[in-house]
Amino acid sequence: MTEAKPVPKGSLLERAAVVYDFDAVFRARQAGEPVASPLAQPPGDEAARPPIAAPEPPRRAVSTRGPVVAIDRDRLAERDLLIPGAPVSALAEEFRLIKRQLLLTARNVQESYGARARAILVGSANANEGKTYCAINLALSLAAERETEVVLIDADVAKPDVLSQLGLEDRPGLLDALASPSADIEDFLIRTDVPQLLLLPAGSRSNQDTELLASARTPDLLDALLAADPRRIVIFDSPPALAASPAATLALHVGQIMLVVRADSTSEGDLRAAVSLLDGCEQIQLVLNAVSHIPGGRRFGSYYGMEDA
């Protein structure tokens, strides 16, 4: 019997770096092949930090098309999701760390990826590893930024769950826009009562869903979403990489990937296989989900009045 590894302390990003030797995934690719970016920039290395970007054009107002829908806060609480406007919690601080790293990476790869540096795919190797949970929390955390507009896309078209998690009814969305060459993607966005948060449902299913996602219209719609606002960030809740092919297709069009790893179930073999399938994007970062906290191991709990029992 293999001895269980102790659960490391630290943030989700730090735990992922310790539990999984992620660099090993890429050792076979180091001979001239793309390698994923590190999880964090070394502190104090001023020379390595990117120059301050020129000021961007003034942002437009958040899309005013369609009615505003209310997200069920009680439902968010029941599912242990972030609650907009609630007191800062340990979970909120964890996702603050995560979003800061993603925003830094977006800035670093802007020269190579252009506007698509602001497109993030949230995925996992298998189902039930917490990708939708993390995608929603990331979107809510990013929407709290003062100069950011967020579009959360439910791209797991086979098993869409974003709207359900938020207590909203399903409606036309991504697949409908892909199927109609003349459709304006902005018409399918759902305005929410969370300032600066927009949703794009999966849409109406058909027998051609995979082909639609793999079509040239997908990057065209993504480009249109990003061009609508220079401060807009697009988040894809992707299908599991090892369960459905669209994840690898979507990886070709985004600037970075946040790969959710479930501490108690994701095997290293599945992680390696998922990274291999998603290597259409060079920037892959890990988030360790479902970690069992040990006494004294919580990083932000005591500071925000959430002492371990």
Side-chain angles (χ1 to χ4, degrees), residues 206-280:
S206 70
N207 294 327
Q208 299 295 315
D209 294 350
T210 299
E211 287 73 20
L212 286 172
L213 287 171
S215 71
R217 183 149 170 77
T218 296
D220 289 345
L221 290 182
L222 174 59
D223 290 341
L225 285 171
L226 293 169
D229 188 330
R231 288 177 171 82
R232 178 178 279 180
I233 295 177
V234 175
I235 301 173
F236 288 95
D237 178 26
S238 162
L242 302 185
S245 59
T249 299
L250 292 171
L252 298 171
H253 307 310
V254 299
Q256 56 185 311
I257 294 172
M258 186 178 96
L259 193 60
V260 179
V261 180
R262 188 174 177 90
D264 57 358
S265 64
T266 307
S267 69
E268 187 171 340
D270 284 351
L271 175 60
R272 290 173 181 269
V275 169
S276 178
L277 286 171
L278 299 174
D279 65 359

Side-chain angles (χ1 to χ4, degrees), residues 290-308:
V291 175
S292 297
H293 292 287
I294 58 176
R298 189 187 296 275
R299 179 165 181 167
F300 302 110
S302 59
Y303 188 84
Y304 288 105
M306 298 177 60
E307 299 280 4
D308 288 293

Side-chain angles (χ1 to χ4, degrees), residues 1-6 268:
M1 178 178 295
T2 303
E3 183 179 355
K5 297 179 180 179
E268 187 171 340

Side-chain angles (χ1 to χ4, degrees), residues 23-24 31 60 66 70 76 87 89 103 105 115 139 143 178 186 202 210 220 222 264 268 284 294 301:
D23 288 338
R60 64 164 178 79
L76 294 181
S89 63
L103 290 171
T105 300
L178 289 172
E186 295 287 323
T210 299
D220 289 345
L222 174 59
D264 57 358
E268 187 171 340
I284 302 178
I294 58 176

Side-chain angles (χ1 to χ4, degrees), residues 114-128:
R116 292 188 190 177
R118 294 182 278 118
I120 303 170
L121 184 146
V122 178
S124 61
N126 303 298
N128 302 317

